[in-house]
Amino acid sequence: MMIVNYLLANGIENVVLDVDDTLYLERDYVRSGFLALGHAMDMKAFGELCWSYFEAGIRGNTFDLAREALNHDPRIWPTADLVTCYREHTPNISLCEDAAQFLHHCQQSMAVITDGPLASQRAKVAALGLGKHIRTVIYTAEHACPKPAKEAYIMTAGTIPPQRCAYIADNPAKDFLAPHAMGWKTIRIRRPLGLHTAIASGPDVDVEFESF
């Protein structure tokens, strides 16, 4: 595997991973959440319409657009309840096959740093079965240190020298600034269906691959 070989060639001992669009496709979580909403509301068309808007590139006001299109009364399901249901649903997601193979074959110590609402990220980690492979999971929402803050990276490294650490993630807008500044190797997974694929890598990305 390309990244396994890269880690070995660079003497990496500590591998830290992002979750969304690195180990699985975040769009699968979005679809899972919207369909869960439709089920909870007993209104399948609402979830399906939200997903169709997402596929069309619409972000931010999805629930309002779906309400308007379906003439749905917001007093029945207030927006705050929709958001809670979406964030707290049990996601129907799975590891990308290349990520599953990497987790199985990687011999280095592995940890995870993940941004996002705590309930959502905990549910994702559980659904993906990461506890079988990962020694430490840092939820930045739990520690009030969202990326690109350095604190989460420091927590995963311990006494391992920075030149022996690598961070693998997908989003060049926030993922790589801190670890690169700390002297870590930075590896971007740029999946064709990732939400941030169109963003070009910057100078804080050492190397990028389409998959593991």
Side-chain angles (χ1 to χ4, degrees):
M1 300 181 70
M2 293 177 293
I3 293 184
V4 168
N5 293 335
Y6 180 86
L7 298 174
L8 291 172
N10 285 277
I12 300 301
E13 300 175 14
N14 180 50
V15 177
V16 182
L17 300 149
D18 175 51
V19 177
D20 298 313
D21 272 340
T22 299
L23 298 178
Y24 84 105
L25 287 173
E26 189 171 0
R27 61 185 286 110
D28 292 345
Y29 177 83
V30 174
R31 183 174 188 273
S32 172
F34 286 152
L35 296 186
L37 277 181
H39 178 76
M41 298 167 71
D42 195 23
M43 193 175 183
K44 183 179 179 182
F46 189 92
E48 292 177 341
L49 186 56
C50 287
W51 174 241
S52 71
Y53 287 147
F54 180 86
E55 288 193 295
I58 296 171
R59 306 288 189 271
N61 60 339
T62 304
F63 295 158
D64 293 335
L65 291 174
R67 285 191 203 279
E68 183 178 352
L70 297 172
N71 195 28
H72 179 265
D73 186 346
R75 293 171 296 181
I76 300 173
W77 270 85
T79 298
D81 292 347
L82 293 177
V83 172
T84 297
C85 181
Y86 176 89
R87 290 180 174 175
E88 296 185 356
H89 86 283
T90 299
N92 180 19
I93 56 176
S94 58
L95 292 167
C96 294
E97 181 59 31
D98 60 288
Q101 290 296 318
F102 173 80
L103 293 175
H104 179 73
H105 290 289
C106 183
Q107 299 300 308
Q108 290 83 358
S109 176
M110 289 187 287
V112 156
I113 297 173
T114 183
D115 274 353
L118 185 57
S120 302
Q121 300 313 106
R122 286 190 184 279
K124 292 173 187 177
V125 167
L128 296 172
L130 295 185
K132 294 181 292 185
H133 306 281
I134 304 299
R135 59 172 171 82
T136 301
V137 179
I138 302 295
Y139 300 98
T140 62
E142 188 172 37
H143 298 278
C145 58
K147 303 174 213 174
K150 292 183 178 181
E151 286 82 358
Y153 302 92
I154 293 170
M155 283 188 274
T156 65
T159 60
I160 300 174
Q163 65 270 24
R164 300 290 186 184
C165 297
Y167 188 56
I168 304 175
D170 73 293
N171 186 356
K174 66 174 183 176
D175 281 329
F176 305 106
L177 179 63
H180 184 265
M182 294 165 63
W184 292 27
K185 290 293 184 185
T186 50
I187 304 168
R188 181 184 182 188
I189 300 293
R190 195 173 186 178
R191 297 188 182 281
L193 292 176
L195 301 189
H196 306 291
T197 298
I199 304 175
S201 293
D204 51 3
V205 173
D206 290 321
V207 63
E208 70 174 48
F209 301 95
E210 284 192 359
S211 71
F212 282 90

